[in-house]
Structure formats: C-alpha cells, structure tokens
C-alpha cells in the first residue's frame, strides 16, 4: 500500500517570533520535549517496520522541529529506508544543515519557509545555497503579504532557476487580479494558492491513502477536519486499527486552503504537478512552466 503520513507530535515551540503565530518564541517544558522525542522515536520505529508498504512522511510540527536533534535524526534514518519514498519537514531553516550529510538524498526533502522579518536575508539565502550545494532537495517559500513582495522578488532572482519558490496566499487576504499578478510572476503556481478550494462533497485522498498522525499514534484523515466528532477518528497506528478503516471519503468542510490539504484532492491534478515532491512541495518540473489559473485547473470560487 502507498501511504502518505502527516506527523505532528507534542512539540509546540519555536525560535522565531512571527506576530501572527501562537508558537512564536514559545518554549516547551523539559517533559514535553522528552515526550515529543519519545513519540517521534516510536513513530520512526513503526515506519521502519512497515517494509511491505511504500511510505512518505511529512513532519508538520507546531513550531520548529529542526532545532531538535531528534527530528534531524528521524529524517536521516527514514530517508535511508528503501520503503520510504519521501521524508520531509516544514522548517524555518534557522538551523545549520550539516546533519543532512548522513541522509539518502533521493528521499530527503525540506519545505523551507522564509520569514523576512525574522531572519537576515543573506542568512536564509545562504542556507538555501548550502542545501543546494549538498544536493538536498527543497522548496522555499514565503507568505504573499504586500510587505514581503520585494524580499520575494529578490529571493526569486537570487535562487537558482531549478529551486521552486512558492508563494502562499496570506490567510484572510483576497487578491485582485492586479495584486495577484506580481505574485504569479514569482510563483507561476500562485493561482493554485490564491483562492481556497471548494471541497465539501469532493473526493480527497485524506483518510484513504493519506493520514494525519499525532504523537500517540492516533490517526485522523487530515490536519483540518475537526476532531470533535468521534467518527472522525480513523484508529491507531500502533495497534493497527487504522488500517481497516482506510477508505475513499469526501471532504466535509466547505473549503480547503492549505497546500498540505488540497494537494490530495484528485480533481486538482497536483500529484502530477508535484510528482516526486507532493509532500515537500517540489514540482516535477523546475522552473515551473508559466501557466494561467485556468491551465492549472484552478478557477476563482
Ligand atoms: S517560524 Fe513558523 S512556527 Fe515559528 S513563529 Fe514563525 S510562523 Fe510560527
Ligand atoms: S480537502 Fe482538505 S480539509 Fe478536506 S479532507 Fe482533504 S485535506 Fe482535509
């Protein structure tokens, strides 16, 4: 079975201080850090044992994981397993990248978000160059706020053409065509992010071949559908109960507005666009061919 797993353990702390983020400069207690490490090690052991499946993993911690040695180790260990197709993490790239040396670079990938008000430009760009020089696959990206536009243009100009720079539509922000145009110049796939995708009643691979797993191994379809409804619990990873509950489902939410969610909606065709890098957001083709919103299958909703 092909299974993609979005893993999020107890960790909920970050070294950055983004104004809109609940994890900004938050510190975890030593107990939480111990629990996070133990949960992650349990998860890695579980993935290691699933040799009959083909597994892809995206770590999506609340806060920043790569400042913790156990996330670096988990990525290296998982990347070296033959049955792991891709293992990636969302990161602010604040940490040094030397830990990647031991990893299998065919399956390791990083999703790197640039926060212009948190890190000097040269430092973020330098880390991107370190990754590229070491052969580590990664995407870089930025939130499409007006005050980020110059930094995004500069980064696009300074990154090699074969490094994808994605732009996320800012939450709660709508873009006129004129406002969207400069972002689409930077990221030809910005039209995919520009509008939330209508999803209620639409097919989604979440809950069938994609799952969200927490530190206790509890399995849900995705990070977004609320877990208050007990029928939303799919099962548990560690007792195997999740497996018999995997099945085709339709989305119960009005819309899905995050790449790590809507990328799994078959109607959008994004598994083709991001073949080989669905979880790390690395397109199959770089530079990404310039295409209109219509050509990408996306229309205003
Ligand atoms: S880098 Fe990410 S997790 Fe950290 S404060 Fe900023 S938005 Fe939050
Ligand atoms: S469309 Fe988005 S919110 Fe709906 S099930 Fe899929 S990932 Fe979850």
């Amino acid at each position: 079975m092909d299974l993609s797993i979005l893993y999020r353990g107890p960790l909920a702390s970050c070294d950055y201080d983004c104004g809109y983020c609940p994890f900004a400069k938050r510190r975890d207690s030593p107990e939480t850090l111990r629990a996070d490490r133990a949960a992650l090690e349990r998860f890695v052991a579980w993935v290691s044992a699933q040799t009959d499946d083909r597994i892809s993993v995206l770590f999506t911690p609340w806060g920043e994981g790569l400042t913790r040695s156990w996330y670096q180790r988990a990525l290296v260990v998982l990347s070296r397993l033959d049955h792991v197709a891709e293992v990636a993490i969302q990161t602010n790239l604040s940490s040094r990248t030397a830990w990647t040396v031991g990893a299998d670079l065919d399956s390791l990938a990083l999703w790197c978000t640039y926060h212009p008000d948190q890190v000097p430009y040269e430092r973020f760009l330098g880390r991107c160059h370190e990754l590229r020089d070491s052969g580590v696959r990664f995407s870089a990206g930025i939130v499409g706020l007006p005050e980020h536009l110059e930094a995004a243009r500069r980064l696009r100009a300074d990154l090699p053409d074969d490094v994808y720079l994605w732009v996320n539509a800012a939450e709660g922000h709508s873009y006129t065509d004129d406002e969207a145009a400069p972002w689409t110049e930077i990221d030809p796939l910005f039209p995919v992010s520009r509008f939330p995708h209508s999803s209620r009643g639409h097919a989604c691979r979440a809950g069938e071949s994609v799952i969200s797993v927490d530190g206790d191994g509890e399995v849900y379809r995705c990070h977004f559908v609320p877990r208050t409804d007990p029928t939303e619990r799919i099962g548990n990873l560690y007792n195997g109960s999740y497996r018999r509950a995997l099945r085709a489902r339709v989305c119960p939410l009005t819309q899905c507005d995050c790449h790590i969610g809507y990328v799994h909606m078959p109607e959008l065709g994004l598994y083709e666009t991001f073949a080989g890098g669905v979880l790390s957001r690395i397109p199959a083709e770089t530079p990404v061919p310039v295409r209109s919103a219509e050509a990408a299958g996306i229309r205003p909703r």
Side-chain angles (χ1 to χ4, degrees):
M1 176 174 70
D2 275 13
L3 187 64
S4 294
I5 303 175
L6 274 57
Y7 176 92
R8 183 177 281 155
L11 188 92
S13 50
C14 187
D15 50 342
Y16 281 7
D17 194 19
C18 304
Y20 54 86
C21 178
F23 309 104
K25 288 285 181 199
R26 223 189 95 159
R27 293 200 187 287
D28 281 317
S29 66
E31 295 72 39
T32 302
L33 292 175
R34 268 197 296 276
D36 187 70
R37 179 177 178 158
L40 187 65
E41 287 172 353
R42 187 182 188 196
F43 175 72
V44 170
W46 180 87
V47 175
S48 303
Q50 307 310 303
T51 50
D52 290 338
D53 294 327
R54 188 172 161 78
I55 296 186
S56 299
V57 177
L58 175 64
F59 294 111
T60 59
W62 298 125
E64 177 60 25
L66 280 185
T67 50
R68 310 292 171 187
S69 59
W70 51 98
Y71 282 90
Q72 299 177 4
R73 246 188 334 269
L75 285 150
V76 171
V77 168
L78 293 180
S79 75
R80 296 173 68 156
L81 299 174
D82 288 343
H83 63 286
V84 170
E86 182 175 38
V87 57
I89 187 166
Q90 295 182 318
T91 173
N92 62 20
L93 209 54
S94 61
S95 313
R96 296 191 174 279
T97 59
W99 61 270
T100 59
V101 162
D104 180 335
L105 300 182
D106 286 336
S107 45
L108 178 73
L110 304 186
W111 161 315
C112 308
T113 305
Y114 174 42
H115 299 276
D117 54 348
Q118 295 296 307
V119 57
Y121 176 78
E122 298 298 346
R123 189 182 308 159
F124 185 82
L125 181 66
R127 290 263 151 81
C128 289
H129 280 299
E130 268 174 46
L131 291 175
R132 189 150 181 287
D133 293 347
S134 322
V136 178
R137 298 159 56 243
F138 68 102
S139 66
I142 193 165
V143 176
L145 290 165
E147 59 270 30
H148 290 170
L149 184 57
E150 280 321 305
R153 281 189 171 127
R154 188 175 174 201
L155 190 58
R156 179 61 283 167
D158 289 346
L159 283 173
D161 287 349
D162 60 5
V163 172
Y164 176 51
L165 178 67
W166 48 260
V167 176
N168 268 355
E171 210 173 320
H173 203 84
S174 60
Y175 297 77
T176 63
D177 287 350
D178 282 351
E179 288 166 344
W183 294 112
T184 307
E185 260 174 49
I186 294 165
D187 172 10
L189 294 172
F190 180 68
V192 182
S193 170
R194 179 178 168 191
F195 300 101
H197 297 275
S198 298
S199 56
R200 191 191 300 280
H202 294 229
C204 178
R205 296 178 180 93
E208 184 181 21
S209 59
V210 183
I211 53 175
S212 156
V213 174
D214 72 13
D216 294 324
E218 291 288 277
V219 177
Y220 295 86
R221 66 167 95 194
C222 69
H223 285 347
F224 310 108
V225 174
R227 299 171 179 196
T228 40
D229 176 350
T231 65
E232 275 302 328
R233 179 180 178 273
I234 288 179
N236 191 278
L237 208 60
Y238 301 126
N239 65 15
S241 58
Y242 77 98
R243 193 133 179 145
R244 56 184 169 272
L246 297 178
R247 58 176 168 76
R249 292 158 206 264
V250 295
C251 179
L253 300 189
T254 313
Q255 56 189 35
C256 188
D257 66 356
C258 188
H259 174 94
I260 64 171
Y262 61 65
V263 74
H264 304 297
M265 294 174 74
E267 68 188 74
L268 299 180
L270 294 173
Y271 272 33
E272 288 75 46
T273 306
F274 291 95
V278 165
L279 297 186
S280 53
R281 206 171 179 173
I282 300 174
E285 224 182 315
T286 47
V288 178
V290 176
R291 65 183 84 191
S292 68
E294 288 73 19
I298 310 304
R299 58 193 180 280
R301 289 164 176 161

